[in-house]
Amino acid sequence: MITVTKPKLPNLSDLMPMLENIWHSGIITNNGSYCKEFEQRLSEYLDTPYVSVVSNATNGLLIALKALNISGDVVTSPYSFAATENVLRWLNLNPIMVDTDKLGNIDPDKIELAITKNTTAILPIHVYGRPCDTEKIQKIANKYNLKVIYDAAHAFGVKVDFGDVSVISMHATKVFNTCEGGIVISKTAEIKKKIDLLRNFGIVDEETVSEYGINAKLDEIRAAIGILNLKTIDSDIMERKAIFEKYRTGLNDVPGIRTLDNSYNGSYFPIFIDEKLYGHNRDYLYETFKSEGILTRKYFYPIRYKLEISSRLSNTVLCLPIYPGLEDITIEKIINLIISQFQTYY
Ligand code: T4K
């Protein structure tokens, strides 16, 4: 069975001594030494000073919105994983949905029209690791005095402006993983301080709880996995980008198949299928792959809001397998299958 992704795991022989250290120290969570080291290394790798690791990106988004005191309306877009809207709902915030551009990111030209007197923030998503137009978004935020929180779940390693806060996912299915995990990047030391308090119940010391925080901590074992995975991340991303290019070259001339024009961090390889030109729809191709033992994914389908462009993307998208170690023979089989289905129709 070929799946849409496969988690990168470090060599067990490298992990074992770190696990032994954790076992001997007895400190397995609550901001232990691997967690601190991991944050430091991420800060260097991502070239940004205020980094906090958390249990997952969903919790990261929750505490980011809390840390920035977001209330009322939040402008965002519907083409995303359920987590993006869910965090707003959990905090009783009101999502104002704006349609996307033709590859799934919020259309910055539609944001201003959606702003109300209750709007306090914009929550854009770097879909498939493709950066939003951060410059335009920041200009709008400045004009209306709004905070910008990026759902950067897919965007590990992508050079981009981080807004007030950016939240990256380190879930097993992501470019860079710690099994479960998230990274919160804060614009200032003050925001980071609040994020760090909120991820640990708001506890300042043994006798002081200053915020209504939650538990969003990353444990030592996952921090150790992160430290090791960070050592190979550059070559992992290179390998993903190479796979991306093989797909793109192979599918370039297939009528009705549209791809991204840049691999960014190689996190996903979505194709958008124009049924009229290709001859079959997305679900047909999904089932055809499945019958061949290839499990593609419809990221992002379904979506709850019926806006024109994002709905069209959602109904036509299929993400193909992409991960380090995916063999050429499999890539060729996937490409040939897409081509042959076109030929069977015409
Ligand atoms: N914002 C956005 C834009 C997001 O895409 C996400 C998460 C979030 C926020 C929230 O981030 P986290 O809170 O999760 O850190 C997956 C992931 O669970 C989810 O993290 C991700 N987005 C979403 C796009 O994809 P599923 O339901 O598709 O996962 P699942 O378990 O079906 O896995 C897909 C394939 O990956 C499987 O067929 C096999 C392979 N796999 C998966 C896992 C978990 C493995 O080989 N090993 C594994 O351990 O949601």
Side-chain angles (χ1 to χ4, degrees), residues 124-195:
I125 306 124
H126 301 305
V127 177
Y128 311 128
R130 174 176 164 256
C132 295
D133 189 336
T134 54
E135 215 171 294
K136 264 192 189 168
I137 290 170
Q138 195 56 54
K139 268 195 191 141
I140 298 166
N142 293 345
K143 183 169 164 191
Y144 293 91
N145 195 24
L146 307 176
K147 301 288 185 202
V148 184
I149 300 107
Y150 282 104
D151 180 335
H154 300 179
F156 183 89
V158 177
K159 291 267 172 256
V160 68
D161 178 72
F162 296 125
D164 292 288
V165 175
S166 281
V167 182
I168 298 171
S169 173
M170 298 190 288
H171 183 259
T173 56
K174 296 294 183 288
V175 164
F176 176 71
N177 91 88
T178 53
C179 307
E180 292 274 358
I183 305 169
V184 181
I185 297 170
S186 302
K187 188 180 197 168
T188 64
E190 197 188 346
I191 300 172
K192 174 174 162 60
K193 196 172 164 199
K194 202 137 183 218
I195 294 285

